[in-house]
């Protein structure tokens, strides 16, 4: 999707800094779902919806409770900034302020203004889609007095073609995806609402459409419950109004979370796929968290299917606390696995458990790829580790393979408490490498993070 860079220049206000996250999920400390990603003025902005645990007084104890929207942005896909609440159910004139019904939104830029589209329940309970307008992607956004006339439904996606023509697509009542051209004011329909013509089988719920363009082709993708839960499938066509031809799945269904919802964006020559999963909530699937993966096209323009990962996207500085539990690959699951740090507080993150059972002889390992060691020499390697008294051993760091060059060898003297164990660097690395962490000696160790200084 190309935006007119001349008219969509973002001015960065002092924003609320949040902890950095290179890995999946992208946001911690709050739930986030239905990510809609766009590039504005050299920065990725993600407009998700916001799940919360059912508050007292909610009419919807078991379903989604979504009171407002935040926007997040990043320049390096590692440091994400929370710009705070941009639209709240209490302050939109047409929305039932107690409905917690602010489902999947989208945003785009035209003639220097940012138009944020969001669905919610009107005061009479019916779904509508409204707009809030800002001069900058992070807001402040001013909601319109009334929703868009003639647009009843959920999950808006606002696509702007290369010639500047805006199209709105959404899920209308009756499990049907529809599209209409918008007027230049971005606030009114400029065409009939037409059913999107695609040949994905009629069976199964379809919602959350997203449209983008690449090499002159229009891509129309959406969550589809083909079997038990939603996969993300896609179609291609020659016009934003269709018809579209089904091409396959970008992401298969998963077993934990009934919904999925996505967006696709090109940033600095790389394509990315944003989606959600319930990583921070294992009891149910209505408190979700946004994630991102790399997306790759084949020569003919079709899309390679994506496997969800913990590692996600972006490059992690070696001097950061590297959360190896957000791994890119892992060894034998009987000997190395990932657990919450504190089951009662998922936002406290995860740890890696290394366990040598039955005198297992092969390496016990986990891989975290894309670590930037920079250009200067580093002096020490640190592991934040817990090993019970009697469980002393060794943690090793290797470069680019389980048996790759030994970066550091850290003896662990068990203490029955968390400790930072460190050792000197044996092999200096420069630039980006994949990091392998192994336990060549020991019985049971919990590792929260590793770091280089
Ligand atoms: O987040 C609420 C709803 O769940 C969205 O509108 C759908 O796309 C699904 O993700």
């Amino acid at each position: 999707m190309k935006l007119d860079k001349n008219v969509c220049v973002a001015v960065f206000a002092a924003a609320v800094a949040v902890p950095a996250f290179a890995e999946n999920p992208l946001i911690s400390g709050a739930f986030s779902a239905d990510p809609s990603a766009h590039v504005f003025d050299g920065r990725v902005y993600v407009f998700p919806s916001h799940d919360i645990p059912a508050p007292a007084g909610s009419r919807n104890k078991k379903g989604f409770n979504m009171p407002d929207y935040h926007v997040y942005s990043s320049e390096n896909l590692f440091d994400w900034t929370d710009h705070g609440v941009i639209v709240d159910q209490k302050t939109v004139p047409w929305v039932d302020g107690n409905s917690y019904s602010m489902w999947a939104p989208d945003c785009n830029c035209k003639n220097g203004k940012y138009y944020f589209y969001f669905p919610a329940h009107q005061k009479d309970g019916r779904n509508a889609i409204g707009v809030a307008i800002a001069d900058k992607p992070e807001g402040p956004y001013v909601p319109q007095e009334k929703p868009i006339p003639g647009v009843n439904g959920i999950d808006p996606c606002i696509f702007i073609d290369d010639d500047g023509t805006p199209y709105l697509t959404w899920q209308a009542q009756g499990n049907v995806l529809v599209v209409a051209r918008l007027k230049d004011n971005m606030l009114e329909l400029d065409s009939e609402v037409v059913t999107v013509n695609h040949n994905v089988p009629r069976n199964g719920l379809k919602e959350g459409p997203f449209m983008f363009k690449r090499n002159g082709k229009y891509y129309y993708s959406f969550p589809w419950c083909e079997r038990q839960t939603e996969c993300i499938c896609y179609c291609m066509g020659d016009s934003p109004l269709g018809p579209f031809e089904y091409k396959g799945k970008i992401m298969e269904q998963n077993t934990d979370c009934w919904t999925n919802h996505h967006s696709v964006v090109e940033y600095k020559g790389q394509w990315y796929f944003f989606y959600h999963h319930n990583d921070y909530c294992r009891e149910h699937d209505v408190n979700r968290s946004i994630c991102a993966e790399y997306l790759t096209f084949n020569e003919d323009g079709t899309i390679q299917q994506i496997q969800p990962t913990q590692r996600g996207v972006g490059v992690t500085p070696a001097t950061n606390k590297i959360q190896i539990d957000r791994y890119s690959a892992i060894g034998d699951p009987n000997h190395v696995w990932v657990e919450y740090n504190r089951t009662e507080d998922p936002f406290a993150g995860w740890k890696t458990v290394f366990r040598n059972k039955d005198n297992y002889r092969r390496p016990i390992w986990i891989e975290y790829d894309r670590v930037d060691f920079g250009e200067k020499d580093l002096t020490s390697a640190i592991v934040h580790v817990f090993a019970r008294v009697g469980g002393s051993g060794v943690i090793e760091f290797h470069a680019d393979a389980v048996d790759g060059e030994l970066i550091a060898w850290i003896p662990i003297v068990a203490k029955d408490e968390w400790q930072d164990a460190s050792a000197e660097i044996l092999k200096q690395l420069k630039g980006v490498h994949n990091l392998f962490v192994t336990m060549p000696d020991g019985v049971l160790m919990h590792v929260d993070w590793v770091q280089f200084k």
Side-chain angles (χ1 to χ4, degrees):
M1 184 176 307
K2 289 272 181 290
L3 292 165
D4 185 343
K5 302 278 187 316
N6 298 322
V7 294
C8 292
V9 176
V11 180
F12 303 118
V16 187
V18 289
F21 298 100
E23 306 98 351
N24 288 331
L26 298 176
I27 309 297
S28 183
F31 297 110
S32 53
D34 305 324
S36 178
H38 291 274
V39 176
F40 298 131
D41 193 31
R43 219 172 148 82
V44 175
Y45 284 81
V46 182
F47 298 83
S49 50
H50 181 195
D51 291 335
I52 59 170
S58 165
R59 299 169 208 143
N60 197 10
K61 288 281 177 238
K62 295 217 165 134
F64 300 119
N65 282 276
M66 309 170 83
D68 54 28
Y69 298 101
H70 287 231
V71 58
Y72 300 85
S73 76
S74 178
E75 196 271 326
N76 58 8
L77 304 179
F78 183 87
D79 301 298
W80 288 90
T81 299
D82 178 0
H83 298 281
V85 173
I86 54 169
V87 173
D88 189 303
Q89 63 179 359
K90 300 275 184 221
T91 54
V92 181
W94 58 268
V95 169
D96 171 352
N98 262 325
S99 56
Y100 298 94
S101 60
M102 309 202 93
W103 288 16
D106 194 15
C107 185
N108 218 327
C109 176
K110 189 167 169 63
N111 297 332
K113 297 266 184 212
Y114 294 83
Y115 295 86
F116 179 75
Y117 295 79
F118 58 96
H121 290 172
Q122 301 177 89
K123 294 189 166 139
D124 65 7
R126 285 179 306 147
N127 278 320
I129 291 174
V131 190
I133 305 173
D135 293 326
K136 296 179 285 180
E138 64 269 37
Y141 282 86
V142 178
Q144 297 295 288
E145 281 292 317
K146 296 213 157 77
I148 309 176
V151 179
N152 305 314
I154 59 165
D155 295 355
C157 165
I158 176 71
F159 168 74
I160 302 180
D161 208 346
D162 295 339
D163 65 0
T165 310
Y167 295 87
L168 191 71
T169 176
W170 68 96
Q171 190 224 41
Q173 277 172 352
N175 188 22
V176 75
L177 300 175
V178 296
V179 62
R181 206 173 49 239
L182 288 186
K183 291 189 178 163
D184 251 15
N185 66 12
M186 302 285 274
L187 301 173
E188 294 166 275
L189 298 184
D190 193 32
S191 75
E192 293 293 302
V193 174
V194 296
T195 298
V196 175
N197 183 346
H198 60 71
N199 57 344
V200 180
R202 178 89 180 99
N203 293 345
L205 184 82
K206 300 177 184 71
E207 56 181 355
F210 190 80
M211 201 189 300
F212 66 98
K213 190 176 184 182
R214 178 179 177 270
N215 293 344
K217 287 282 180 195
Y218 297 85
Y219 290 76
Y220 193 82
S221 45
F222 50 89
W224 169 35
C225 182
E226 181 199 19
R227 292 177 286 145
Q228 294 87 7
T229 68
E230 290 181 332
C231 66
I232 305 286
C233 70
Y234 77 106
C235 307
M236 291 169 69
D238 294 318
S239 153
L241 296 172
F244 294 98
E245 188 186 341
Y246 178 59
K247 293 291 178 185
K249 292 176 188 162
I250 307 179
M251 187 171 272
E252 246 308 352
Q253 67 168 10
N254 67 75
T255 50
D256 313 324
C257 188
W258 197 91
T259 64
N260 201 348
H261 189 110
H262 74 299
S263 55
V264 173
V265 72
E266 184 184 17
Y267 182 56
K268 296 185 177 172
Q270 170 68 52
W271 288 83
Y272 295 92
F273 180 82
F274 288 76
Y275 63 105
H276 71 217
H277 191 250
N278 57 334
D279 301 72
Y280 284 124
C281 177
R282 306 315 296 160
E283 301 83 53
H284 56 75
D285 62 358
V286 294
N287 284 173
R288 301 153 296 174
S289 295
I290 62 170
C291 302
E293 308 290 350
Y294 296 108
L295 179 134
T296 308
F297 292 90
N298 297 312
E299 281 286 307
D300 64 357
T302 54
I303 296 173
Q304 292 181 10
Q305 195 164 312
I306 295 170
Q307 298 299 327
T309 69
Q310 273 71 35
R311 177 65 186 87
V313 299
V315 173
T316 304
T319 50
N320 273 41
K321 287 178 179 165
I322 303 168
Q323 306 292 337
I324 56 169
D325 47 72
R326 305 296 83 202
Y327 59 86
S328 42
I330 194 164
D332 183 336
N334 292 310
H335 298 276
V336 55
W337 64 88
V338 166
E339 287 178 1
Y340 282 131
N341 277 321
R342 296 204 297 273
T343 39
E344 70 284 7
D345 177 16
F347 288 133
W350 292 267
K351 61 187 173 189
T352 306
V353 181
F354 293 83
R355 171 90 203 264
N356 191 341
K357 283 196 291 192
D358 307 327
N359 211 12
Y360 184 69
R361 295 263 167 226
R362 274 164 288 161
I364 299 173
W365 61 275
I366 195 162
E367 180 199 9
Y368 183 102
D369 64 11
R370 287 170 276 124
V371 176
D372 188 359
F373 287 83
E375 294 308 319
K376 294 195 189 131
D377 279 1
L378 297 162
T379 54
S380 60
I382 303 163
V383 57
H384 190 57
V385 61
F386 180 94
R388 280 198 197 290
V389 169
S392 297
V394 170
I395 292 287
E396 286 182 357
F397 297 171
H398 292 260
D400 299 316
V402 177
D403 56 357
E405 285 207 82
L406 184 62
I407 311 170
W409 184 93
I410 310 179
I412 312 294
V413 180
K415 278 192 177 165
D416 240 355
E417 64 184 12
W418 285 96
Q419 58 170 311
D420 292 353
S422 64
E424 66 176 17
I425 302 244
L426 302 174
K427 167 72 189 168
Q428 292 292 343
L429 297 175
K430 301 287 176 277
V432 176
H433 292 269
N434 299 341
L435 175 67
F436 285 76
V437 178
T438 67
M439 185 182 76
D441 186 21
V443 179
L444 177 65
M445 289 192 211
H446 295 202
V447 173
D448 190 7
W449 46 261
V450 307
Q451 188 176 27
F452 295 86
K453 287 222 163 135

